[in-house]
Amino acid sequence: MALGFVNENGGDGSAIVPILKYDTRGGYIIKVDRHQDEGGTWVKDESELEYPVKVAMDLENIKVGWLGFVGGAPDFHLVNIGEPMPARPSPDHNQGFQVKLCNKELGLRELSSGAKTMTVPFNDLHNAYEAQKADNESKVPVVEFTGSERYKVNTPNGELTFKKPVMVISGWVDRPTTLDGAAAPQEPAPTVSAPAMEAVATSAAPVEGSDLF
C-alpha cells in the first residue's frame, strides 16, 4: 500500500487539524499544538508522549499519495485509499500517508509520514486492519503504540539506522464522534452522594480502553 498527505491549511493556521509526528531518529511520538502569541503570530508547542499511547485510528479513511516540501513548505497530493495513485509531482516527493486518530486527552489529531520507517509498519498495520474488520463491523481499531525498534534503511549514502514504531491493534470500539470533528468528550465532574444504606447494585465492567475515547 502506498501512503500520502493533504494540506488543509487555510493560511492563518486556524484550519489545521492538530498533528502528531513520529521522530524516526529518537523513536518517540511528539504532540504538536499551536497558539497565537501577543503579536498574533502562530507558534508551535511540541511535547513528547510517553509510551504506551492508545488511540482510535480511522484506518478505513486513510489517505495515500505523495508528500514533499517545496520552497520549505509542505506539498501533499492525496487520494482516498483504494483510488488510483496520483502522478508523482517530482522526484523529491515520497509515497506517504495521512490518517486521523483521537483519544480524550489528545482530541482529534492527524499523523502523516513519507519515511520508510513509518510506511512499512503502517502497511503491516493496515493489513491487520483488513483481516479483522469483517468481525468488527461499524467499529474502529484501537491502535496501541508500545515503543520503537531499530530499523536499517539502504540509502545513496549507505546503510542508515533509524527507529520504527511498534504498534498493534489492541481492540475495537464504536466510532468516536471526535473522528468526525466533534469535540472530545470531557470527564464528568465527580459528585458526592450519601452512603448507601443497602447493598449497592453492580454494573457491567466497561470494555477495556473504552474510557479513552
Side-chain angles (χ1 to χ4, degrees):
M1 179 184 71
L3 307 174
F5 215 87
V6 64
N7 185 2
E8 296 181 350
N9 187 354
D12 62 357
S14 60
I16 297 177
V17 175
I19 69 170
L20 292 184
K21 64 181 183 180
Y22 179 78
D23 187 297
T24 60
R25 293 284 189 179
Y28 44 80
I29 300 171
I30 299 172
K31 178 180 69 169
V32 182
D33 292 309
R34 297 163 66 89
H35 73 274
Q36 284 182 298
D37 62 18
E38 294 180 354
T41 301
W42 286 94
V43 179
K44 289 195 299 184
D45 297 314
E46 298 187 355
S47 57
E48 181 181 340
L49 302 181
E50 293 185 5
Y51 290 116
V53 177
K54 283 187 177 183
V55 294
M57 188 175 289
D58 194 6
L59 289 173
E60 178 182 2
N61 297 303
I62 191 171
K63 294 181 181 294
V64 299
W66 302 95
L67 66 89
F69 288 84
V70 177
D75 184 49
F76 311 130
H77 299 257
L78 287 179
V79 295
N80 293 323
I81 190 167
E83 296 179 0
M85 283 285 287
R88 188 176 190 177
S90 79
D92 294 327
H93 284 73
N94 297 319
Q95 292 184 115
F97 69 90
Q98 181 186 66
V99 65
K100 290 185 177 180
L101 49 84
C102 73
N103 64 27
K104 283 183 179 178
E105 179 183 356
L106 296 170
L108 178 64
R109 299 273 168 168
E110 285 179 343
L111 175 65
S112 306
S113 181
K116 286 186 177 180
T117 45
M118 287 287 279
T119 59
V120 170
F122 260 85
N123 275 328
D124 296 338
L125 182 71
H126 196 269
N127 287 339
Y129 163 76
E130 290 286 340
Q132 298 177 33
K133 69 177 184 179
D135 295 328
N136 296 278
E137 189 175 356
S138 301
K139 294 183 180 294
V140 296
V142 176
V143 175
E144 182 173 1
F145 294 84
T146 60
S148 63
E149 62 184 17
R150 291 165 61 88
Y151 182 75
K152 294 182 178 181
V153 178
N154 291 319
T155 74
N157 297 321
E159 186 178 78
L160 299 178
T161 300
F162 300 92
K163 290 186 177 180
K164 67 177 181 179
V166 178
M167 52 191 173
V168 296
I169 295 177
S170 61
W172 294 76
V173 295
D174 292 335
R175 183 180 179 86
T177 56
T178 307
L179 282 178
D180 299 313
Q186 301 297 314
E187 292 288 350
T191 57
V192 178
S193 58
M197 299 302 294
E198 298 180 359
V200 178
T202 59
S203 59
V207 176
E208 182 179 359
S210 61
D211 59 332
L212 296 173
F213 315 104

